[in-house]
Amino acid sequence: MEMFCSRSLLHACFGYSRFVTFFFLDLFWSPSKSPCCTIEIWVCCNRHKRIIFSIRPSLPKMSDLETPLRPKRKTAVVDFLVQFRWIVVIFVVLPISFTIYFLTYLGDVRSEMKSYKRRQKEHDENVQKVVKRLKERNPSKDGLVCTARKPWIAVGMRNVDYKRARHFEVDLSAFRNVLEIDRERMIAKVEPLVNMGQITRVTVPLNLALAVVAEFDDLTVGGLINGYGIEGSSHIYGLFSDTVVAYEIVLADGRVVRATKDNEYSDLFYAIPWSQGTLGLLVSAEIKLIPIKEYMRLTYKPVVGNLQDIAQAYSDSFAPRDGDQDNPEKVPDFVETMIYTPTEAVCMTGRYASKEEAKKKGNVINEVGWWFKPWFYQHAQKALKKGEFVEYIPTREYYHRHTRSIYWEGKLILPFADQWWFRFFLGWMMPPKISLLKATQGEAIRNYYHDMHVIQDMLVPLYKVGNALEWVHHEMEVYPIWLCPHRMYKSPIKTMIYTEPGFEHHHRQGDTHYSQMYTDVGVYYAPGPVLRGEVFDGSEAVRRMESWLIENHGFQPQYAVSELDEKNFWRMFDAGHYEYCRRKYGAVGTFMSVYYKSKKGRKTEKEVQEAEQAILETPSAEVDEPVDY
């Protein structure tokens, strides 16, 4: 049923022309407290020129169900340590972080002042040092090879305790230079410790950028290749590793090889992503560049509905329903969605814009990179009250929009850091370095975060995003949630992560004949039960999450804490091609396997030796090359 009134009545009642939800009234409640019918009164104008009264049935949905009831948790000493951890962060972590950031910046500037020829010469010399160091290793006496970087320096949240076992260190700390920006080939040649802040500082003034630029300044090229990297442009270009053209790798025997998808080391090229540095030592990479403009024209669109409605609105924001996924007129340059509650989200789509366009009269420019500005996720949330709006953000500032607040984790680390007075007076020291947070947290706080905190990414097919959101709501109840799409290409070789068999025949939204659209469901924050003081078993929740991912052909990035045993780890990932390359290039017995490197908990020297020996003694040591996928 619909009833209409005149435009004059509309203006008399409300006096402005914006689409507004006036109220919802649920009627005829069932004993389960789920409404059977909803009256909606919509106030519309300009486009519709009417008020709509509608009555529609409301069906029970999983997102409407109550989360499991949990008993209250007893307060322990560690709760107070976590609650007042901000004291250490303000007086210790922030000052040291700022000092390190500043010194690193000076080092980057000094590097940029060198000629490309000199940087390449230093690079070649450093590679030879690595080769020499590897050849000094005695396999019968020395441990497995690992980098000399301290365990707490890693950005990932799992304990990098494999280095507590006997190991043979190789120092890669000198590999942090941008070696070349080739504007003809549109390639950036960089060393593995170059981070995202450094590379954008070099490329953006040239109106160039990596095809995929991860949000955090501190994330390094090596970590994003060997591990996992994504950004709002990944629905076009894929994951960070998909944009790499060539790898320069030092193998276990000291050979230095260049692997591309079409040379003699093509098998190694496809095996390196997600391998966690267990096939060789990455010393440089050639990565695809794209042309960009000075600003990002960003549209903020609020979404209200259940979790399935939000998932569909998110899909519609970048995936045309007619399947025309490669049409730049229909597909934005950047996409992300943030879900703030089970019924509210903001979808953001961006397109590159010139300086002339951004500065036209009437356009709003928002320089989000200033230290005193509101945190980006809180700024975007304003769309829920303000309605859809558009603004222009300087491109480099947009790339690193989540750095200052570490998405929304900054609110837990420093509860008042989002307040105007803190941002104005101390915001210039943000963010604290994640490595320093880990180094100062101690064993008790580390275990607390493992049990009472969630930092996970769930990579799931686009058509299953709604189900994933409902699962997270029911099992973890974590908000906000970050959604970012990425293409998963159908590779000629079945790699560690791979598309669903036969996906191209289903013609689902976002898919093409050569790639399946996936989504990163980013779950970062304290779960609802923890915030309410209820019992929550973080390890068990992660275990169930990983089981759900395996059942739904999803994947979990290996930087996160995992509860998988070896059998289930290789149910989630495919071991065939990876193990083939491990044996072919002599990595077994020299580098720890990716499962053992990702395994939660401490690893003793004995465990490491036994695990590697078991691999060497496996009857299938001589394996055939995997068939093409």
Side-chain angles (χ1 to χ4, degrees):
M1 175 181 68
E2 292 188 345
M3 300 173 59
F4 306 93
C5 74
S6 68
R7 182 179 181 184
S8 60
L9 177 58
L10 172 66
H11 281 227
C13 294
F14 302 102
Y16 59 92
S17 56
R18 185 179 293 274
F19 185 92
V20 180
T21 300
F22 187 44
F23 66 84
F24 294 92
L25 180 61
D26 293 324
L27 299 179
F28 314 125
W29 287 80
S30 67
S32 63
K33 298 184 179 180
S34 179
C36 300
C37 183
T38 300
I39 292 181
E40 299 176 357
I41 299 182
W42 301 92
V43 179
C44 309
C45 50
N46 284 347
R47 185 180 301 175
H48 302 289
K49 298 184 178 66
R50 65 188 185 184
I51 293 181
I52 302 176
F53 294 80
S54 67
I55 300 178
R56 63 176 176 83
S58 296
L59 301 176
K61 308 173 186 69
M62 184 177 176
S63 54
D64 297 328
L65 300 178
E66 295 182 1
T67 54
L69 295 176
R70 296 179 172 92
K72 289 292 184 180
R73 184 174 63 88
K74 292 182 180 180
T75 302
V77 175
V78 69
D79 292 285
F80 294 101
L81 295 177
V82 172
Q83 183 178 355
F84 293 101
R85 181 159 160 70
W86 61 267
I87 298 174
V88 176
V89 174
I90 286 182
F91 294 104
V92 178
V93 176
L94 280 182
I96 297 177
S97 296
F98 179 78
T99 302
I100 293 175
Y101 282 130
F102 182 68
L103 293 176
T104 301
Y105 170 76
L106 292 180
D108 294 344
V109 171
R110 185 174 61 181
S111 172
E112 291 165 17
M113 294 174 65
K114 300 175 185 177
S115 67
Y116 287 136
K117 186 176 181 180
R118 182 180 175 187
R119 288 182 226 170
Q120 184 63 50
K121 180 181 178 182
E122 291 179 356
H123 171 77
D124 294 338
E125 292 172 352
N126 290 327
V127 169
Q128 289 308 308
K129 291 178 182 178
V130 171
V131 172
K132 181 181 178 182
R133 174 63 174 161
L134 279 175
K135 290 184 176 180
E136 292 173 352
R137 174 176 174 264
N138 185 335
S140 63
K141 295 181 180 180
D142 297 321
L144 298 175
V145 174
C146 70
T147 62
R149 188 174 63 167
K150 300 303 178 185
W152 55 268
I153 292 179
V155 176
M157 297 310 296
R158 58 186 170 82
N159 291 334
V160 193
D161 285 325
Y162 63 88
K163 292 189 178 182
R164 296 178 186 272
R166 183 164 61 94
H167 55 272
F168 184 83
E169 291 185 346
V170 178
D171 187 6
L172 299 180
S173 60
F175 291 88
R176 53 168 299 105
N177 296 303
V178 177
L179 298 176
E180 184 181 10
I181 301 296
D182 189 334
R183 302 183 71 169
E184 291 186 4
R185 295 174 58 218
M186 292 296 282
I187 296 295
K189 185 178 181 181
V190 299
E191 293 180 321
L193 292 185
V194 169
N195 62 36
M196 293 298 98
Q198 182 181 356
I199 190 68
T200 57
R201 192 163 51 245
V202 173
T203 59
V204 170
L206 303 175
N207 281 352
L208 298 173
L210 299 182
V212 174
V213 182
E215 289 87 352
F216 288 168
D217 290 19
D218 265 4
L219 295 175
T220 63
V221 167
L224 295 169
I225 288 172
N226 281 303
Y228 163 75
I230 192 173
E231 171 51 305
S233 59
S234 290
H235 65 295
I236 299 174
Y237 302 105
L239 298 177
F240 187 89
S241 56
D242 292 319
T243 68
V244 178
V245 175
Y247 302 106
E248 185 183 14
I249 299 287
V250 181
L251 299 177
D253 59 4
R255 283 184 296 158
V256 182
V257 302
R258 180 176 180 269
T260 70
K261 65 175 58 179
D262 53 9
N263 72 359
E264 60 183 309
Y265 298 105
S266 60
D267 53 359
L268 184 61
F269 177 86
Y270 286 107
I272 288 171
W274 293 72
S275 67
Q276 297 289 333
T278 60
L279 293 167
L281 298 174
L282 177 70
V283 290
S284 76
E286 297 170 43
I287 310 172
K288 180 179 179 179
L289 289 169
I290 61 170
I292 64 170
K293 297 179 181 179
E294 296 87 350
Y295 285 84
M296 186 67 65
R297 183 185 186 274
L298 196 63
T299 301
Y300 302 79
K301 184 175 182 179
V303 180
V304 177
N306 62 59
L307 291 173
Q308 291 287 352
D309 295 335
I310 291 172
Q312 186 59 58
Y314 155 75
S315 300
D316 291 341
S317 68
F318 67 93
R321 294 199 183 190
D322 61 6
D324 199 7
Q325 191 64 44
D326 291 322
N327 188 338
E329 298 297 322
K330 298 179 180 181
V331 179
D333 296 320
F334 273 78
V335 176
E336 71 176 330
T337 288
M338 287 183 277
I339 305 174
Y340 295 94
T341 72
T343 58
E344 296 176 313
V346 176
C347 295
M348 284 153 282
T349 55
R351 291 185 179 275
Y352 288 111
S354 66
K355 180 167 55 177
E356 292 73 22
E357 177 186 341
K359 294 189 175 182
K360 286 182 179 179
K361 185 177 180 180
N363 289 342
V364 176
I365 294 178
N366 182 11
E367 297 181 341
V368 299
W370 286 104
W371 76 88
F372 52 81
K373 285 281 191 172
W375 288 352
F376 182 76
Y377 83 95
Q378 294 177 335
H379 170 69
Q381 192 174 9
K382 294 177 182 177
L384 293 172
K385 293 183 178 179
K386 185 178 180 180
E388 183 174 333
F389 67 97
V390 176
E391 64 184 13
Y392 292 79
I393 300 176
T395 298
R396 185 167 186 266
E397 295 181 22
Y398 175 76
Y399 285 155
H400 303 295
R401 61 199 178 280
H402 293 299
T403 294
R404 276 191 302 130
S405 60
I406 317 180
Y407 283 95
W408 28 87
E409 288 284 336
K411 183 70 174 175
L412 286 178
I413 299 168
L414 291 170
F416 41 78
D418 60 338
Q419 301 299 307
W420 70 267
W421 55 269
F422 183 94
R423 295 199 314 267
F424 187 82
F425 291 107
L426 293 176
W428 50 274
M429 288 199 293
M430 292 289 284
K433 285 188 74 69
I434 296 176
S435 57
L436 283 175
L437 290 172
K438 292 171 62 178
T440 58
Q441 66 187 8
E443 191 72 20
I445 295 178
R446 184 185 300 122
N447 291 334
Y448 176 92
Y449 283 138
H450 284 171
D451 294 334
M452 304 294 172
H453 200 85
V454 177
I455 298 183
Q456 298 285 344
D457 289 88
M458 304 170 64
L459 309 188
V460 299
L462 178 61
Y463 72 96
K464 293 185 177 180
V465 168
N467 295 340
L469 293 176
E470 291 179 332
W471 189 94
V472 171
H473 174 77
H474 186 265
E475 297 289 338
M476 296 180 173
E477 203 180 344
V478 172
Y479 293 97
I481 293 175
W482 188 60
L483 299 182
C484 184
H486 70 91
R487 271 180 166 160
M488 188 176 296
Y489 293 97
K490 185 175 181 180
S491 169
I493 295 175
K494 191 175 184 181
T495 57
M496 285 183 66
I497 63 170
Y498 54 97
T499 56
E500 290 183 299
F503 77 90
E504 64 272 24
H505 303 303
H506 294 283
H507 305 291
R508 296 189 182 99
Q509 189 173 4
D511 293 351
T512 64
H513 67 279
Y514 60 87
S515 67
Q516 184 178 10
M517 194 64 72
Y518 266 64
T519 283
D520 182 338
V521 180
V523 188
Y524 328 120
Y525 209 61
V530 173
L531 296 175
R532 294 191 297 268
E534 299 170 358
V535 170
F536 182 80
D537 188 336
S539 296
E540 182 58 31
V542 170
R543 191 174 291 110
R544 290 196 297 268
M545 182 201 77
E546 290 172 324
S547 296
W548 189 93
L549 286 173
I550 291 172
E551 293 168 0
N552 289 274
H553 200 85
F555 303 94
Q556 175 194 36
Q558 296 151 359
Y559 81 87
V561 175
S562 173
E563 300 292 336
L564 291 171
D565 57 27
E566 188 166 8
K567 178 181 178 181
N568 284 313
F569 183 87
W570 292 119
R571 286 181 62 207
M572 179 179 290
F573 302 101
D574 190 272
H577 184 67
Y578 167 75
E579 291 294 351
Y580 165 78
C581 287
R582 286 258 297 163
R583 299 180 190 281
K584 178 179 178 179
Y585 294 104
V588 179
T590 302
F591 300 101
M592 186 179 297
S593 72
V594 68
Y595 164 71
Y596 217 70
K597 193 171 183 179
S598 303
K599 179 184 174 184
K600 179 182 176 182
R602 297 188 177 185
K603 293 88 177 171
T604 65
E605 176 183 343
K606 183 179 179 181
E607 286 178 317
V608 172
Q609 290 177 331
E610 290 177 350
E612 288 301 297
Q613 189 62 33
I615 295 174
L616 287 170
E617 294 175 353
T618 301
S620 59
E622 297 296 331
V623 295
D624 295 327
E625 184 172 357
V627 297
D628 290 348
Y629 173 57

